[in-house]
Amino acid sequence: MLGQSAPVAANDPAIPGYSTNMLHMSDTEAYLRVKSIAAAKPGASFVEMGLAAPVQLLQYYAARTKYWAAKFGLHYLGEIDAAQDNPAGYSQAASAILAKYPAMQALLTFSDNSAVGAAAVLKSSGKTGILISGADGSEEAFNAIKAGTVYNSPQPDFLESGRMLVDAAYDLITKQNLPLPANIGVPVKLITKDNVDSSTPIG
């Protein structure tokens, strides 16, 4: 069997019966986006927007974001979660964040959709200068980065991850290159205003 983010971290015990596990590279994503924000605003205060549903991958992403933020000297203010993974949930969470943490300088969200949704709330509230980070490198994020409403979005190479999983399946079927490594992962590219025009969104 082939896993995908099962488990979510490279140092977690392997799940019995799985031959290898494709990591989502959440730790690398967290590192890249936090490093970028710290370079733009050293010592910035930030808030995380998570998702209320207990999704292990998203919880790990939030934890690694907080970990790397501390390493880069950013100041953690708190976290407010979206009750639902939809525009209404993002809007409500962003409004609550803005009300509770009006002095925040950066907002790190759990997805591109939540980043774009939060950016709309901040814009309508007249708040400017807040660096918003998403995840996955979608077309929506690309457009928002070009418009200057979202600051960055880490993008794993999803095409490469598919190729690697197919290769792993082929090796299992043909009994080659065994045993497979416990985990496999793909490069992650941070999408920013500097490279958005030369990059390709997912989808």
Side-chain angles (χ1 to χ4, degrees):
M1 292 178 64
L2 304 176
Q4 190 161 12
S5 299
V8 298
N11 58 353
D12 285 346
I15 296 176
Y18 281 72
S19 299
T20 190
N21 174 47
M22 171 61 71
L23 292 171
H24 190 79
M25 305 303 289
S26 299
D27 187 58
T28 303
E29 289 191 26
Y31 170 84
L32 290 174
R33 69 177 185 160
V34 167
K35 180 182 179 181
S36 170
I37 287 174
K41 289 192 176 182
S45 59
F46 76 99
V47 177
E48 287 195 272
M49 180 195 292
L51 182 64
V55 179
Q56 188 179 13
L57 179 62
L58 296 182
Q59 292 172 338
Y60 176 69
Y61 191 34
R64 297 312 291 175
T65 293
K66 192 190 300 185
Y67 170 85
W68 285 115
K71 293 293 184 182
F72 280 103
L74 301 185
H75 178 57
Y76 175 69
L77 297 178
E79 177 177 341
I80 291 180
D81 295 340
Q84 297 177 326
D85 191 4
N86 59 30
Y90 314 145
S91 178
Q92 291 169 2
S95 296
I97 288 170
L98 192 55
K100 188 171 183 179
Y101 305 107
M104 68 175 172
Q105 297 170 290
L107 175 60
L108 291 94
T109 68
F110 65 94
S111 68
D112 284 340
N113 288 337
S114 56
V116 172
V121 170
L122 267 58
K123 183 177 181 180
S124 66
S125 301
K127 292 290 289 186
T128 60
I130 297 174
L131 304 184
I132 302 176
S133 178
D136 288 343
S138 67
E139 185 174 0
E140 290 78 10
F142 271 53
N143 292 335
I145 289 169
K146 291 176 183 179
T149 56
V150 169
Y151 187 66
N152 65 34
S153 175
Q155 182 191 62
D157 191 333
F158 288 101
L159 291 178
E160 180 66 9
S161 69
R163 184 194 67 78
M164 293 175 73
L165 282 173
V166 170
D167 284 350
Y170 179 81
D171 284 345
L172 285 174
I173 292 169
T174 59
K175 296 181 170 44
Q176 299 183 72
N177 305 313
L178 302 180
L180 296 175
N183 294 291
I184 53 179
V186 297
V188 177
K189 179 179 182 179
L190 186 69
I191 307 301
T192 68
K193 202 150 193 174
D194 291 336
N195 63 7
V196 65
D197 289 327
S198 60
S199 303
T200 303
I202 64 169

